[in-house]
Amino acid sequence: MFYREAGQFKQSYAADQAIFPIRQDRIGLAVILLIAFVGIPLFGNEFLLASVMVPFLILALGAIGLNLLTGYAGLLSLGTAGFMGVGAYAAYKLSTIFPEVNILVWILCSGFFAAAVGAVFGLPSSRIKGFYLAVATLAAQFFLQWCFVRWSWLYNDNASGAIEVPARTLFGIAITGPSATPVTRYLVVLTIVVVMTLIASNIVHGRIGRSWMAVRDMDIAAQLMGIRLLPVKLLAFAVSSFYCGVAGALMVFLWLGAAEPAAFDINLSFVLLFMVIIGGLGSLIGSFFGAALIHILPIAIRMLPDALGLSIGAATVEHLTFMIVGALIIFFLVVEPHGLARLWQIGKQKLRVWPFPY
């Protein structure tokens, strides 16, 4: 009843190809953005902002980068954490070499370094695909992590071997360093994630996105249609690595505050891959769903015993969290193998015809 597009006519191709063609979707998005930009900063506490929302948004951005490559282009990658590390170390070096330039400029520019590295390691995709390509990107993960440990120039020969984020300001407001407030860091991360998500949505709805999906569905047919496979695949690796590089820079500068090479190990690559699979391959909103399930749900489960007044040891809570989250992941994959985004689409379709049977 409330989610019907009856009477909403499209009078141009631009209106028909709009990202949100239904008025209810546009209103819902506006409400979500209003809550994100106004409600959460006003009523959220420091824990919610610094430990829940900021990591959730950064991981969702990294999942979007991987989804562009795996979900839309059909190229499996296990080197996502390595490309995030390239972005983090590039932003760190640029901020120390050119300290007078605003740090947000270097965070965004770090994505280009990650894109270049991603394109280089994407060259094997011209000959191999599937699990063989996953093994090639896994080699990239180990090689990049080895560089982060052994190449001391990347962390300015610091004795600890870690990146130490400098304090930087924007219009007199601290955005990095210990003096930056959680509200400021949250708003900066939220703005970057929203803008980059909008750009990604325009990419996948345009010619580039259609080329990626054609290669994903059947690369031989795409080649017969005139699509050049190698440039399309390398572009997918470059764009995906750009997003992952920016996510890695945000992770260090606006979330952790400092990071060692272990922060970009293979575990992070698998976590992001699980987010994409659970959220839904080939869906940007699925990246947010997957990040919420993997990151926010365990935090809520850990807080549940205290809310109920139960006295349970921290180790027990940790084990229960792994068991519950693992069971939920299996349940969602059994109920809907196409991810939570597909369940979201089914729910919206049922609302369109409610109260009539579907």
Side-chain angles (χ1 to χ4, degrees):
M1 184 187 304
F2 300 106
Y3 196 73
R4 301 262 180 88
E5 62 264 39
Q8 301 181 37
F9 304 106
K10 303 173 181 62
Q11 300 177 350
S12 64
Y13 287 110
D16 187 58
Q17 295 295 323
I19 299 175
F20 301 102
I22 302 176
R23 184 185 303 112
Q24 289 86 340
D25 287 339
R26 295 193 293 270
I27 295 174
L29 179 63
V31 171
I32 293 174
L33 292 179
L34 183 64
I35 294 173
F37 278 100
V38 180
I40 294 179
L42 286 178
F43 302 104
N45 55 24
E46 182 176 346
F47 174 78
L48 176 65
L49 294 172
S51 300
V52 178
M53 295 306 300
V54 169
F56 159 68
L57 292 172
I58 293 173
L59 292 174
L61 183 62
I64 288 174
L66 180 59
N67 215 337
L68 292 176
L69 181 66
T70 303
Y72 287 95
L75 303 172
L76 186 59
S77 173
L78 293 177
T80 311
F83 301 137
M84 291 179 67
V86 172
Y89 280 90
Y92 176 69
K93 289 299 297 185
L94 290 171
S95 64
T96 54
I97 297 174
F98 305 100
E100 68 280 358
V101 180
N102 189 273
I103 189 63
L104 295 182
V105 175
W106 295 138
I107 288 176
L108 295 176
C109 288
S110 65
F112 292 102
F113 290 86
V117 174
V120 171
F121 284 104
L123 288 173
S125 63
S126 63
R127 297 292 183 182
I128 58 178
K129 57 184 178 179
F131 290 109
Y132 298 100
L133 181 60
V135 172
T137 55
L138 184 62
Q141 165 69 38
F142 290 134
F143 173 76
L144 291 174
Q145 193 172 359
W146 177 86
C147 291
F148 301 153
V149 175
R150 299 298 180 183
W151 197 1
S152 60
W153 176 81
L154 290 174
Y155 48 85
N156 292 339
D157 299 312
N158 194 334
S160 64
I163 299 175
E164 297 178 356
V165 175
R168 294 290 187 268
T169 60
L170 177 64
F171 303 118
I173 302 174
I175 56 176
T176 62
S179 58
T181 63
V183 174
T184 302
R185 289 187 281 119
Y186 165 74
L187 289 175
V188 171
V189 172
L190 178 62
T191 302
I192 293 176
V193 171
V194 169
V195 172
M196 294 188 68
T197 303
L198 180 62
I199 294 173
S201 181
N202 281 277
I203 290 175
V204 299
H205 283 87
R207 178 181 58 86
I208 296 175
R210 291 193 294 270
S211 300
W212 288 345
M213 288 182 278
V215 173
R216 175 197 64 190
D217 294 338
M218 187 174 291
D219 54 354
I220 297 178
Q223 190 174 19
L224 292 175
M225 292 170 59
I227 296 176
R228 301 172 61 190
L229 297 184
L230 181 58
V232 170
K233 291 181 178 181
L234 291 183
L235 181 60
F237 267 97
V239 175
S240 171
S241 301
F242 178 88
Y243 274 73
C244 294
V246 174
L250 291 174
M251 176 179 171
V252 174
F253 281 79
L254 294 171
W255 174 17
L256 300 177
E260 296 181 350
F264 306 103
D265 60 4
I266 186 64
N267 292 329
L268 180 58
S269 294
F270 280 115
V271 167
L272 292 172
L273 182 61
F274 294 155
M275 289 180 182
V276 170
I277 294 174
I278 295 167
L281 290 169
S283 171
L284 297 181
I285 193 173
S287 302
F288 288 93
F289 288 152
L293 182 68
I294 296 294
H295 179 72
I296 297 180
L297 184 61
I299 296 176
I301 294 175
R302 292 189 190 101
M303 296 173 62
L304 186 60
D306 294 333
L308 298 177
L310 301 176
S311 178
I312 303 177
T316 304
V317 173
E318 190 74 16
H319 294 158
L320 288 174
T321 300
F322 285 131
M323 294 171 61
I324 294 173
V325 173
L328 287 174
I329 289 173
I330 295 174
F331 171 76
F332 282 123
L333 291 180
V334 170
V335 172
E336 182 49 69
H338 297 289
L340 298 176
R342 178 57 182 166
L343 293 177
W344 174 255
Q345 293 175 355
I346 294 174
K348 288 171 60 177
Q349 183 61 32
K350 288 183 179 297
L351 283 176
R352 289 180 181 178
V353 298
W354 184 84
F356 302 103
Y358 177 64

